[in-house]
Amino acid sequence: MTLAADDRTYLWHPFTQQQGWQDEDAPIIERGDGACLWDVDGRRYIDGISSLWCTVHGHRHPAIDIAIRDQMDRVAHSTMLGLTHEPAIELAKRLVAIAPPGLRRVFYSDSGSTATEIALKMAFQFWQQRGGADARRTKFITLQGAYHGDTIGSVSVGGIDLFHATYGPLLFEALSAEPGDAEDMAALLEENSGQVAAVIVEPLVQGAAGILTQPDGYLRAVRELCDRHDVLMIVDEVATGFGRTGRMFACEHEDVAPDLMCLAKGITGGYLPLAATLTTERIYEGFLGEHQDFRTFFHGHTYTGNPLACAAAIANLNVFEQEHTIEKLQPKIALLEKLLRGVARIPTVREVRQRGMMVGIELEEFPLGARMGHQVTLEARRRGAIVRPLGDVVVLMPPLSIDHTELRRLIDIVGHAIEAATGAALDDDLAEAA
Ligand SMILES: Cc1ncc(COP(=O)(O)O)c(C=O)c1O
């Protein structure tokens, strides 16, 4: 099979130990439709992770396909530096209309990492430009276990040692708060009064930490604490945005309006790389000045606001409206909850966490070398579903468009995959003990 051989010869995959990749026999995906993907051998898989948490209305949604083709007939790319274009303008207006109140300005980039990087830089520069005592606001508070992307700034506010510790000497220091504990956040803000630029949080669910859910009221409490200390609140909705938690944005569950909001992944329905950092007029105005004042936000990427991606994003929002996606999601969330009760009863499952369509199934502890999360992935793949674990947490995040039958099938496959992988390991243990 030359494709597989060429992959092994020429590629270096993200978040992948390449040693051993040779033996993986990973599916080579050829096409998708709705909630499913097909490989070059014609095998069908349910896309249980929305192609890494981004597919929203399914693969090859006609309305998004057409919007991209129409835009392609006009222009595929034109810069936002010194020029502008209709899709970027219209999308910004549409995002502001649905965003939490007060978020009025849209700054585009192309990934979740850049969206958070931009929010951090904006917050920092905002206080520097205010000058006086405010220039002492240089610190950031993040949550333990946070994940905001892989660029150096977003890694600095990251809290996953496995991914982040190596880069320690390259990073700026961030204070880290105990997730879900408003008192800990209050104490940190108190101790560092007048020195904190912003608090950055993944709202309601810390995704990459293993789908860790926060108690009700926590996000609101963080907002109130930020207000009390005049600290900016950055909400990273990269994973939670665009319906994943059952509302358009996770912030809506607690009526929270942040000062900066980061969007990516589902913004284009999962079609093209686009991200946006939304902010308030207060922050925007902090950057206004004469040319020679140099208060400009000196940041921008080549593909910032790419027209094809903006066209896809507008179509994505249209589909939300036309298909009543959020409304139709509620019974699916309820069904998912019901189906997961069965998974929770599997003896090798320690805990099942769910928020909307975001699910983490934590397995009982197995030796690190057993790579149990990975074994479950392989078993699921054999049965026709694509999942990807975070350590020993099996993550599920199907497209919002998945129908009830497919959802049942996905959970059935995952349950059996867990039983097969963990059961086999237990059998091995028993055989060894005998
Ligand atoms: C909450 C959050 N922020 C940021 C990112 C980084 O996004 P990207 O991979 O597009 O850079 C992710 C990716 O999983 C994420 O979950």
Side-chain angles (χ1 to χ4, degrees):
M1 177 52 151
T2 62
L3 268 180
D6 285 351
D7 178 288
R8 285 159 195 167
T9 308
Y10 298 110
L11 281 180
W12 186 345
H13 287 261
F15 279 94
T16 300
Q17 174 46 262
Q18 290 286 134
Q19 185 176 313
W21 174 251
Q22 275 75 355
D23 314 321
E24 287 261 326
D25 207 17
I28 302 174
I29 299 301
E30 189 175 65
R31 65 193 173 90
D33 195 10
C36 291
L37 295 165
W38 280 260
D39 70 13
V40 287
D41 299 318
R43 278 187 296 251
R44 182 174 74 121
Y45 307 91
I46 298 181
D47 185 353
I49 47 160
S50 296
S51 294
L52 221 67
W53 313 0
C54 63
T55 310
V56 179
H57 308 293
H59 298 281
R60 287 178 56 212
H61 191 289
I64 306 178
D65 287 9
I66 289 168
I68 296 171
R69 283 200 199 102
D70 282 354
Q71 182 56 40
M72 213 140 56
D73 286 340
R74 295 187 197 101
V75 64
H77 184 63
S78 167
T79 182
M80 298 285 295
L81 280 71
L83 299 175
T84 190
H85 57 79
E86 190 178 333
I89 297 166
E90 187 187 337
L91 177 61
K93 195 169 165 187
R94 297 280 299 273
L95 289 173
V96 166
I98 59 168
L103 295 172
R104 301 261 304 276
R105 293 279 165 179
V106 178
F107 191 99
Y108 292 116
S109 60
D110 42 40
S111 71
S113 304
T114 55
T116 53
E117 195 86 26
I118 286 162
L120 297 169
K121 284 177 72 179
M122 276 182 179
F124 184 86
Q125 191 173 338
F126 172 76
W127 293 118
Q128 290 304 301
Q129 289 175 170
R130 294 255 296 210
D134 283 337
R136 292 213 313 273
R137 293 186 173 276
T138 56
K139 297 183 181 175
F140 289 90
I141 299 182
T142 182
L143 299 185
Q144 287 161 23
Y147 181 77
H148 299 289
D150 297 332
T151 54
I152 293 300
S154 53
V155 168
S156 295
V157 290
I160 301 181
D161 278 354
L162 178 66
F163 304 164
H164 302 147
T166 313
Y167 306 105
L170 293 181
L171 309 178
F172 62 78
E173 217 178 307
L175 306 163
S176 79
E178 176 75 34
D181 181 351
E183 279 178 22
D184 193 49
M185 181 66 79
L188 268 180
L189 283 164
E190 202 63 54
E191 279 161 32
N192 295 278
S193 182
Q195 300 169 57
V196 179
V199 169
I200 180 165
V201 289
E202 292 164 80
L204 269 54
V205 183
Q206 287 187 280
I211 315 292
L212 298 183
T213 51
Q214 295 160 3
D216 289 348
Y218 178 68
L219 194 69
R220 172 118 287 281
V222 173
R223 173 72 275 183
E224 284 163 10
L225 287 166
C226 287
D227 284 343
R228 198 175 310 153
H229 291 269
D230 198 16
V231 162
L232 301 175
M233 181 184 194
I234 304 172
V235 165
D236 177 352
E237 291 254 14
V238 169
T240 51
F242 300 97
R244 259 344 130 178
T245 65
R247 304 283 292 265
M248 192 55 132
F249 301 114
C251 283
E252 293 173 22
H253 291 275
E254 305 214 343
D255 280 327
V256 161
D259 299 285
L260 295 126
M261 181 163 92
C262 308
L263 302 175
K265 289 195 183 280
I267 191 171
T268 59
Y271 269 64
L272 287 163
L274 182 75
T277 306
L278 274 64
T279 191
T280 58
E281 282 307 272
R282 177 191 180 213
I283 293 183
Y284 174 76
E285 282 168 6
F287 285 74
L288 298 180
E290 297 300 327
H291 173 75
Q292 59 274 20
D293 295 340
F294 300 121
R295 296 168 78 92
T296 302
F297 186 50
F298 291 104
H299 189 116
H301 303 280
T302 306
Y303 286 102
T304 284
N306 171 262
L308 289 175
C310 290
I314 294 165
N316 174 41
L317 296 181
N318 290 342
V319 177
F320 266 104
E321 280 178 22
Q322 285 155 8
E323 297 188 357
H324 307 286
T325 307
I326 298 288
E327 238 168 80
K328 285 197 201 145
L329 197 55
Q330 308 314 316
K332 291 182 207 180
I333 292 171
L335 174 64
L336 183 56
E337 194 182 330
K338 197 172 125 212
L339 297 170
L340 286 169
R341 281 185 218 137
V343 176
R345 283 196 291 270
I346 299 173
T348 47
V349 168
R350 178 179 289 178
E351 188 180 52
V352 176
R353 297 183 283 270
Q354 181 196 2
R355 187 84 212 210
M357 295 295 270
M358 304 175 82
V359 175
I361 303 166
E362 185 163 337
L363 305 175
E364 289 293 352
E365 203 170 318
F366 284 90
L368 194 61
R371 298 187 66 203
M372 197 46 70
H374 182 64
Q375 298 307 326
V376 172
T377 299
L378 297 181
E379 290 290 348
R381 202 187 282 168
R382 271 181 217 126
R383 291 167 169 79
I386 301 288
V387 298
R388 186 176 165 85
L390 287 158
D392 281 351
V393 178
V394 179
V395 175
L396 301 180
M397 221 180 285
L400 307 189
S401 60
I402 193 168
D403 68 25
H404 287 220
T405 310
E406 290 164 331
L407 197 54
R408 281 202 171 85
R409 191 168 148 67
L410 173 64
I411 303 305
D412 186 55
I413 289 176
V414 168
H416 282 109
I418 292 173
E419 282 172 343
T422 59
L426 291 179
D427 288 348
D428 285 352
D429 282 355
L430 289 175
E432 239 168 65

